[in-house]
Amino acid sequence: MSLRIVVTVKYVPDATGDRHFADDLTVDRDDVDGLLSELDEYAVEQALQISENSDDDVEVTVLTVGPEDAKDALRKALSMGADKAIHVEDDDLHGTDAIGTSLVLAKAIEKAGYDLVVSGMASTDGTMGVVPALLAERLGVPQVTLLSEVSVEGTTVKGRRDGDAATEQLEASLPAVVSVTDQSGEARYPSFKGIMAAKKKPVESWDLSDLDIDEDEVGLENAYTVVESAAERPARSAGTIVKDEGEGGKQLAEFLVGQKFI
């Protein structure tokens, strides 16, 4: 028996960089470095652990939708241990929202072939967290989301979802879509051997025509969600300094009362 796992990953702006919006109110990706979304690293890690713990022949494919530089995210996942990668790139994809992205991902997943789709809980730029559910709906398969533990036993995927008040044990028949949280286990660091091996692993490039998607189904003009306005965060104001010259405690208490903290 063989198991085909597709991991959806995203190339996102570095959160430590100076991020801002472009003139069309999409994220300006030209003036900030990008990288593999940290939350997607957990998805790659869990897919690799499933592969390593399986007695079956497992193939792990990483899939992304994004500009030319998004290949960097794929190379990171390949250097972690994924077997191959697929990059969907097309100029008409600019400004595509989560609903349009889920369409592109679903078409690519169907074209690639799959038994299990693994996603991160959300991207670190949009942080919407809805794509796994949208994917499951488009693919017509079960979804088991927000897992902190995941495994595959035969034709069943099992996982644990930890909530504030309870822990759930969930399972679904394959094919299925799962998403994992940042509590699922630290992602491994690529080794030098893995980095060198990644350079030789196959990366397929597809565009909208390869997926039979019309340009009027994606892009900023056809998005269901749009940003109407944006403003830079105001500069942080200077705090109140209390000099303790014998009355520091009293001044601090008065400040806290004035702020209604006590």
Side-chain angles (χ1 to χ4, degrees):
M1 178 179 173
S2 61
L3 178 67
R4 300 166 297 173
I5 302 177
V6 177
V7 186
T8 61
V9 300
K10 189 175 183 182
Y11 179 74
V12 299
D14 188 343
T16 63
D18 183 18
R19 297 176 295 174
H20 54 275
F21 287 101
D23 292 339
D24 61 0
L25 296 181
T26 60
V27 177
D28 188 344
R29 300 179 183 275
D30 294 332
D31 294 335
V32 63
D33 292 333
L35 40 71
L36 170 62
S37 176
E38 181 183 359
L39 293 175
D40 290 341
E41 291 187 16
Y42 295 98
V44 176
E45 176 63 32
Q46 291 308 305
L48 295 176
Q49 289 194 26
I50 292 172
S51 177
E52 293 165 354
N53 295 328
S54 176
D55 294 328
D56 299 322
D57 181 21
V58 181
E59 181 181 67
V60 177
T61 302
V62 285
L63 165 66
T64 195
V65 177
E68 173 67 23
D69 289 344
K71 283 187 171 66
D72 291 344
L74 295 177
R75 289 298 179 193
K76 172 69 178 292
L78 291 173
S79 67
M80 290 172 65
D83 299 302
K84 64 178 185 178
I86 298 170
H87 180 202
V88 181
E89 179 188 8
D90 198 298
D91 290 342
D92 289 324
L93 286 169
H94 174 73
T96 301
D97 63 356
I99 294 177
T101 298
S102 71
L103 170 65
V104 178
L105 287 172
K107 291 284 190 178
I109 290 167
E110 289 176 331
K111 181 178 174 66
Y114 73 103
D115 299 296
L116 177 66
V117 179
V118 184
S119 301
M121 61 188 291
S123 64
T124 55
D125 55 353
T127 64
M128 295 184 69
V130 298
V131 169
L134 292 172
L135 267 180
E137 177 67 20
R138 290 191 183 278
L139 295 170
V141 300
Q143 57 169 304
V144 188
T145 55
L146 301 177
L147 301 180
S148 53
E149 184 180 276
V150 61
S151 63
V152 173
E153 298 179 16
T155 59
T156 302
V157 59
K158 299 182 177 182
R160 187 185 80 240
R161 179 190 294 155
D162 296 323
D164 293 335
T167 294
E168 302 172 280
Q169 296 292 337
L170 307 168
E171 63 179 58
S173 298
L174 298 177
V177 173
V178 304
S179 68
V180 299
T181 72
D182 55 357
Q183 301 301 309
S184 58
E186 289 297 320
R188 67 194 66 186
Y189 289 102
S191 64
F192 177 76
K193 181 179 179 181
I195 294 172
M196 297 306 294
K199 297 179 179 180
K200 299 180 180 179
K201 292 180 179 179
V203 178
E204 293 189 62
S205 295
W206 296 343
D207 59 19
L208 293 179
S209 64
D210 293 316
L211 303 176
D212 295 323
I213 297 175
D214 294 329
E215 61 181 41
D216 60 2
E217 296 179 90
V218 295
L220 184 60
E221 292 184 0
N222 303 297
Y224 286 80
T225 57
V226 296
V227 178
E228 293 186 348
S229 64
E232 291 188 10
R233 179 183 299 171
R236 182 177 296 179
S237 59
T240 301
I241 299 176
V242 175
K243 293 183 179 181
D244 188 5
E245 297 177 352
E247 296 289 326
K250 180 181 179 181
Q251 293 180 58
L252 180 58
E254 291 174 348
F255 173 79
L256 293 175
V257 170
Q259 298 297 315
K260 296 184 179 180
F261 290 137
I262 59 175

